[in-house]
Structures are given as structure tokens and as C-alpha cells.
Amino acid sequence: MQVDDIDRVAVLGAGSMGHGITEVVAIGGYDVVMRDIEQEIVDEGYDDIEWSLQKLSEKGLIDEDPDDVMARVSTAVDLEAAVEDVDLVIEAAPEQMDLKKDIYGDLDEFTPEHAILASNTSSLSITEMASATDRPEQVVGTHFFNPPVKMDLVEVIYGDETSDETAETASQFIESIDKTPIYVKKDVRGFVVNSVLGPFGDEAAWAVSEGDATIEQVDAAMVHQRGYPMGPFELSDMTGIDIGYHVRKEAGQPIPPIVEEKVENDNLGQKTGKGYYEYEDGDGTTYEPGDGEGFDTLRIEARMVNEAAKLVGNDVATPDAIDTGMRLGAGFPEGPCRRADKIGLDEILDTLETRYEQTEAERYRPADYLVELVNGGHTGEDAGRGFYEYGSDDGNREYRTINVERDDRGVLAIELDRPERMNALNEDLMDEVEHVLDNADLDEVRCVTFEGAGDRAFSAGADIGGFAGMEPYEAAEVTSMFETVNDFPRPTLAKIDGFCLGGGHELALACDLRVATEDSEFGFPEISLGLLPGGGGTQRALRMIGEARAKELVFRGNRISADRAENWGLINRAVPSEAFDDVVGEFVDDLVSGPPVGLRFAKQVMNEGDDASMPAALAMESQAFGLLMSTDDMMEGASAFMEDRDPEFEGK
Ligand code: NAD
């Protein structure tokens, strides 16, 4: 079955996941029926969807009226009636194999023959569920993350007999509801995200159990030095210490003493008021930024990379799927494969081998694929190949953190594509932006636009994780991308919808023009981190809006509204969301139809003149004026004016 053949969807279960999945499927435009075993539970799930849609609508996160979305949602208690005419079923019933097998037996009987049966299970075997049906090739895993409305990732899991057609249709369906699918090509325990995430908590717990570190030290190091959104112990308290305990038990893995002790004493985390931190008698986490000093974070990261290597080596997932999964599913600042290629796979392997020799603990045994890569000389980015191929820098590079498109009018559109980190700038992203601009064909490009992916931010700053562990001399080079943008010989426009903070704000200021939605917010929060805006922010803001206002932004670190930003001259226009595309369109129309050489010189003399004395700046201006007098574009401009028509400039 093809994705276009899917019209009606059934979701089984109206619990935490079921109602959320129903909601995203309805927002995606499908008719969906949500089924649970009692009317009361279904009604509760229905109310939850209604409430959530209202919230999304208030925040401007859905375009449609919530009532129109609700009109596509129906509910049922009777299974047969619910699924008799659907094309796809997503099952989100409790995590018990016997129950799921019963359900799959019934579904096989009641659903149309062509229907795909998908399970939202987070840990059970798709193959085993499929065995309860006569259509195992049409059974697939679609593992959403909690809460489905917010989390972008869905793992699409093959059972042993799942057909490519079924998996592809499931994957396209996930895309059609605006989520990001990754393929998990084999039915392995934990699929991709939980497999790689396992060692994050496990190795942390061993480090503390073995007396090598304290809880605060590990959490602080992973968050403040390595940029993870939460420390391993903090995360474990949030998800429940018993969850990780049972996963290890089932997998037959040894359990770190500290985990054993917490479970024995029923200190399971936030839900019991106490875990690694105190929630009832305390304020939760107690680690501070400096506490991480001295902890060897590589022992945790090397083990995650090792899991990734097992998955790649066993053809379960590609490095790209793993990295996407970890960024979107676990909020990692960058994927483990990419990060490992930067660290050096030889160093990762060395860490594992040394610990394996010292402890003989199975968890450090290096994956065959990792050994293979290192023995083959594929030790990472510096070697030209690791998990990824880096190849020669011939301008045809595949970008990972930005999307780039050029239309036939010459608009080079650059989208910052790290929505899960609010498009924060990291080393890769800045490097890729520079690469695009350095390799742009000026004959083909008439203007450049920058925007942020997702619906929350242009860019919320620089990714602190990326700066941690950086030497001072390296930080001094952070600004090169901003200068490349500032000096690019074509006009640049920042399209700002949402947060425009820190490094993102500085990128916007490095552009020539800025148009923002009214709800956007601007600021330089760097001072609260003990830093200052380092991408030219102090200087460009100063020249643009004057000393008093620039110092207010930089010293106080507060955010200002788009209206105030417009008032201050920080941006060109603040416009209502509805008018945003039109206003941006008008700016872009003028930029692409303007004379390229004229615009180039105008930009250059205005940028450079800003730093020069008035006489020197005027001299630059008249020199540029003289040069322009001899261009074809000037002749074309003059004749079009005389003939009362629109000029067609060619940049000559
Ligand atoms: P939940 O307990 O909140 O909801 C399960 C619902 O299924 C309940 O309302 C229950 O009444 C209903 N149910 C029981 N038997 C049913 C049947 N025969 N037909 C239809 N509905 C039935 O559980 P949940 O957290 O929503 O988890 C559901 C599934 O999603 C599980 O497989 C779980 O592993 C998976 N999952 C959960 C999360 C999470 O964070 N909660 C994340 C990803 C995946």
C-alpha cells in the first residue's frame, strides 16, 4: 500500500501516547478514530486532545481552527467498528506482550486486508507481535516519543518479516504528519535511541558506584562540558530509576550497585520524591557548572559510540539515522557518530580497550565495526573518513545542520536546521554557512536570506556545549562566519520569526537587512554567562543603535520585543505573522531585481565607510560611483528610465 492510499487511521489506546498520537495524526489532516476499552477513558483522552489543540492554537503553532481538527477525530470502544474501514492502525496499548498479541490477532481479523498494523511499543519485539497475524509483512513499529505533539522523532522499526513497502509507506506517513522518521532495520532491543542512550546512565552509575566520581560531578560535566540537556542522574530521576533497572534485568546486564540500592529503598526519582536528588525535602538537582572538573566524560561517550558502532555494523541503522535519532529523540547537542568522528575513533577505541583490559567488564568490549574502522585508517574527520565520509572540499558538500536552496531568481535561501536546539549555532553550523557563502557562484546569486527551521526561533544563541572545553585561542576564531556573512558581496536578509538571541542575534546583525514577526524577541544573554556577544555583537549593535541602547542590551542581558527593536533601528520591520511572508517577499523582489554590481558597491562603501573618517568615506563613495558609471547595468538603468520600463540588470 502507498501512503496516498491512507485516508483513515485508528489509534488503539487513549492513554498518554494514544491521545497524543491521535492528535498529531488529526493535525496532519487524516480522519482518525481513537479506541480504548472504556468510554470514560476515551472521553478523557478526547478532552486532553481538545485542551492541547487549544494551547497549540493560542501559541500560533497550528494554522487550523482547533474545532476543524477535532472534526476529524472520532472515538470508539468497540474494536471491530473502530477498525473495519481503516488503512492504518497505530497501536498504543499497555506494554505487555500477551495483551498486544491478542490485539494483533483481533486486528488481523477485523481490519481490511490491505491495512498496515503499526505498534508504538518502546521495547517489545515487532516480530513476535506480527506472529499473531497472517500478515507479518504488513506489521511495523512506529515508535513515537513522549509527548508526540512536541517530539519530532519517530523510529520506524522492521520486524523480521516486515516488507520494504510497508516500512516505506509507514515512513512516508510519518513525514506526512510533519514528523521525522528514522529506519531501524532490525528488531533489536531498545531500537536505536534507547540502545545508544543506555550507556549514558549506565556508565555514569558505574563511575559513581566504583568511587571514581560523585553524582554532581558527572551531571555537571555532561551538561556544562559536553552540552547534554540533562545530566545522566538527573535524567534517570525524571524517567524513573526502576525503568532502567528493569531494562537491564531483562537484558541480563549487570546492575550498578548504586542503582540496586536506590531500587531496594524505593527511591525511584521524582515520582517517589527522592532518587539521586531530593525532590520532596529538597529542590532537586544540586550540581553547579564548575562541579564537573576532573571527570572523564569520554568513558560515557565512548560507550555510546560503541553502541552506535554495533548498530551500524549490524545494519540496524545508518550513522545519519542514529545521529538524527539522538538529536531529536534525546535532545543531544550533536549525534554520537558525528561527535566521535571529531574526537577521533582511535581515541574512542583506545578508551574502550584500556578499560576492557583493566576491568574485563563486557560493557567495554569494542564493537567489531569500530575496530574495523580504526584498523582501516578510518579514524574520523581528520582522516577523511570515520562513520561518515568527508572527502575533498570541492563545494559539493552535503550539509547536516543547514538547508540550502537557490531559486531561479538568484535567491540563495539558507535555513538553520537545528530546530531541536532552537537553531543554536554550533561549530558545524557556522562552518557550513561559511562554506556555502565561500562557494556561492556570484553569477547565480543575487541575494541571500537566512531563516530558522521549526516554529520557535530564528536562532536562540550559540550552543554552549560546543564552546565548552574550547581553548581561549580557539574561541578567538569564533567570529569568522559572522565576517563572512557581513562581507558577502550580495545583499543579505535575516527573516526572523521567534527567538533571536546571542549568536543568532549576531548573525542577524551581520546581515544587511532584518525583517521580523511581531512576536519575535531580541537579546544578548551572554553577560549572564559571564561572556559578551562575541560575533561582532558589541560593535555592530553600537554602530547600529548607538551607545546607550547597545550597552543596555549587552549589560542587562534582557530581551526586547520586535516593536522596540524596530523602534531602536535594530531591525527594518516588525510585522504581524500574517503579513510576514508578503513583506519579506517585497524586500526580496527589490534585492533580486536590483543591479548586482551597484548593490555590491553600495554595500561595500556603506560597510567600510562606517569605520572610516567622513572624507575617506566620501572618497570611497565617489570612487565607487565612478566605477559604476562605466557598467552595462548603469546604461540599462538609464535607458529603462527613459523608456519608462523595468530595467533588467545583468551584473555587468
Ligand atoms: P497508558 O497506560 O498511558 O495508555 C495505555 C492505554 O491503552 C490505556 O488507556 C488502556 O486503557 C488502553 N488499553 C488497554 N487495552 C487496550 C486494548 N485492548 N485496546 C485499546 N486500548 C487498550 O500507556 P502509554 O504510556 O500511552 O503507552 C502505550 C504504549 O506506548 C506502550 O506500548 C508503551 O511502551 C509505548 N510508549 C510509551 C511512551 C511513554 O513515554 N509513555 C513512549 C513511547 C512509547
Side-chain angles (χ1 to χ4, degrees), residues 435-451:
H435 189 264
V436 177
L437 296 181
D438 285 343
N439 289 284
D441 178 354
L442 290 184
D443 290 336
E444 306 285 348
V445 175
R446 289 214 161 176
C447 85
V448 181
T449 62
F450 287 91
E451 66 193 294

Side-chain angles (χ1 to χ4, degrees), residues 13 15-17 35-36 92-95 100 103 120 122 143-144 146:
S16 327
M17 295 304 289
R35 188 262 169 173
D36 208 304
E95 192 75 333
K100 300 233 189 211
I103 294 177
N120 187 49
S122 13
H143 181 213
F144 287 76
N146 193 11

Side-chain angles (χ1 to χ4, degrees), residues 11 88 278 297 338 514 572:
V11 176
L88 168 69
E278 302 261 0
T297 53
R338 174 71 189 122
R514 287 156 292 283
N572 297 77

Side-chain angles (χ1 to χ4, degrees), residues 321-390:
I322 295 172
D323 283 357
T324 303
M326 298 317 289
R327 288 192 295 107
L328 303 186
F332 276 22
E334 71 189 336
C337 298
R338 174 71 189 122
R339 184 166 273 194
D341 276 357
K342 283 194 209 165
I343 295 172
L345 299 187
D346 42 352
E347 200 174 329
I348 304 269
L349 181 60
D350 190 47
T351 302
L352 293 166
E353 279 175 339
T354 310
R355 287 193 177 264
Y356 188 54
E357 277 160 26
Q358 284 167 355
T359 63
E360 288 182 20
E362 200 50 33
R363 64 180 186 275
Y364 297 123
R365 183 197 286 273
D368 292 346
Y369 184 68
L370 183 63
V371 176
E372 216 176 278
L373 284 176
V374 173
N375 287 347
H378 306 314
T379 52
E381 186 165 10
D382 287 346
R385 189 180 152 193
F387 279 104
Y388 294 97
E389 295 256 9
Y390 294 90

Side-chain angles (χ1 to χ4, degrees), residues 79-81 83-86 105-112 135:
L79 178 65
E80 187 170 355
V83 301
E84 65 187 1
D85 61 349
V86 298
D106 289 343
L107 287 176
D108 201 26
E109 189 176 331
F110 298 144
T111 53
R135 56 177 108 171

Side-chain angles (χ1 to χ4, degrees), residues 449-521:
T449 62
F450 287 91
E451 66 193 294
D455 38 33
R456 301 185 59 200
F458 173 73
S459 167
D463 216 321
I464 310 294
F467 291 143
M470 206 183 236
E471 298 295 329
Y473 68 88
E474 290 173 320
E477 290 168 18
V478 166
T479 51
S480 71
M481 174 202 71
F482 301 96
E483 289 322 296
T484 304
V485 173
N486 186 69
D487 297 341
F488 190 70
R490 294 282 177 266
T492 50
L493 168 74
K495 299 162 60 176
I496 301 156
D497 184 14
F499 293 115
C500 182
L501 306 174
H505 191 181
E506 297 177 83
L507 170 60
L509 295 192
C511 291
D512 299 311
L513 303 163
R514 287 156 292 283
V515 176
T517 57
E518 279 171 351
D519 319 325
S520 300
E521 290 185 31

Side-chain angles (χ1 to χ4, degrees), residues 113-126:
E113 250 175 43
H114 70 271
I116 289 180
L117 311 180
S119 175
N120 187 49
T121 179
S122 13
S123 60
L124 300 177
S125 158
I126 304 297

